[in-house]
Amino acid sequence: RSRRARPPATFLFAYGTLMRGYGLHRTLAAGATFVDEGRVRGHLLSLGRYPGLVAGSGHVRGEVYRVDDPELLPVLDREEGYNFERRRTPVTLAAGRRARAWVYWYTGPQQHAVSIPDGDFRRAQPPGRRP
């Protein structure tokens, strides 16, 4: 009869250690597929070994993934920890398309954080390099 419509894709925007080449990427890759580079509005902070996204007028660069396994999100929530809140956020893909994606926003203390003015964690802390 009629084909069942596929549910809309669930996207996740990664801007730190979930990106390719970093320590937590294998956890993300177990249940998600890379789609494109992307950016979100906000400001990036270095919190030592990982970054945190906070509200701001700039843009933060990262990677957009399609979540293939719904069980992945609770796993990532535990990995990110209590100082991060997952919220749907508008993201602009490199090709110019816009989408809504889950993004982890940093909600913890900022007194020891260092600004990453260009919003690019990969440039501030290349994979494989320790802070």
Side-chain angles (χ1 to χ4, degrees):
R1 299 180 28 130
S2 67
R3 291 188 326 189
R4 284 200 338 209
R6 285 193 332 180
T10 299
F11 295 108
L12 180 112
F13 177 78
Y15 58 85
T17 56
L18 289 173
M19 292 191 298
R20 294 171 295 175
Y22 293 93
L24 285 179
H25 179 71
R26 67 185 176 284
T27 304
L28 176 60
T33 304
F34 176 79
V35 174
D36 200 356
E37 303 283 326
R39 63 187 169 90
V40 298
R41 182 172 290 290
H43 184 74
L44 199 59
L45 301 174
S46 173
L47 304 165
R49 294 191 319 267
Y50 55 89
L53 174 66
V54 295
S57 60
H59 286 98
V60 172
R61 295 172 52 102
E63 299 173 347
V64 179
Y65 291 83
R66 184 186 69 241
V67 176
D68 302 315
D69 178 0
E71 298 301 311
L72 177 65
L73 293 172
V75 170
L76 294 176
D77 290 348
R78 284 191 297 278
E79 288 285 351
E80 291 293 327
Y82 60 89
N83 280 329
F84 288 87
E85 178 182 284
R86 179 168 46 89
R87 299 197 302 251
R88 285 198 189 271
T89 304
V91 59
T92 303
L93 283 75
R97 201 173 108 224
R98 296 179 68 92
R100 292 183 68 74
W102 288 114
V103 177
Y104 285 97
W105 291 83
Y106 181 66
T107 59
Q110 297 182 24
Q111 63 268 31
H112 299 294
V114 176
S115 176
I116 301 175
D118 70 357
D120 189 344
F121 182 68
R122 191 175 291 285
R123 188 154 64 202
Q125 195 171 310
R129 215 184 87 217
R130 292 274 174 225

